[in-house]
Amino acid sequence: MAVFTQAQLEAIAAALGHTEEGLRGPEIELLLRTARMADVSPGVTKRHRIYNAFAESQNARQDRTHILAFIRFAMKPERYLTAPERFEPMRRNLNRALLFAGLTVEEDGKLAEVA
């Protein structure tokens, strides 16, 4: 099963936890729970909080399944009905990071493989 490299995890977490264009604290908590990952460091910055949860999950399970689930849940366009202006900047930032892992988030929020 494929796993993300440390650099890829850092880039993905930085995109999702971006100060202006990323997820908010309560959203992170909900998404971690939904993706069945431990919130191992809730008191740190958003990007470090996401990275630590991702790293702990991937190291324990030796796969990236729960990280991909988190991304799928986070990037559902319907999550942004009341603030649609948040979706595209986060998708753009996330896609820059995911490209190094051969993945992209499409306009409909679905993950897809890219060459």
Side-chain angles (χ1 to χ4, degrees):
M1 175 62 69
V3 295
F4 290 113
T5 66
Q6 179 182 350
Q8 290 167 345
L9 281 180
E10 288 174 0
I12 295 165
L16 290 168
H18 190 277
T19 303
E20 291 91 30
E21 298 174 339
L23 297 167
R24 297 179 177 132
E27 292 172 318
I28 294 167
E29 180 181 353
L30 173 65
L31 291 166
L32 287 173
R33 237 187 345 223
T34 304
R36 297 184 175 164
M37 285 192 275
D39 193 354
V40 295
S41 50
V44 300
T45 62
K46 295 186 300 181
R47 58 179 258 195
H48 290 111
R49 180 181 184 186
I50 294 168
Y51 172 80
N52 291 342
F54 284 4
E56 191 278 332
S57 175
Q58 181 170 274
N59 291 339
R61 295 178 172 98
Q62 292 301 303
D63 68 33
R64 62 186 188 180
T65 305
H66 292 260
I67 298 166
L68 295 174
F70 182 100
I71 294 168
R72 284 186 190 99
F73 294 138
M75 297 311 297
K76 287 184 180 287
E78 57 268 28
R79 293 185 63 77
Y80 303 95
L81 287 177
T82 60
E85 70 282 357
R86 292 182 59 214
F87 180 76
E88 196 52 41
M90 188 166 18
R91 187 176 83 89
R92 185 178 50 250
N93 289 337
L94 184 55
N95 278 341
R96 284 189 210 124
L98 288 173
L99 190 59
F100 293 100
L103 296 170
T104 189
V105 175
E106 298 177 330
E107 287 182 21
D108 62 0
K110 293 194 165 93
L111 274 171
E113 291 187 6
V114 293

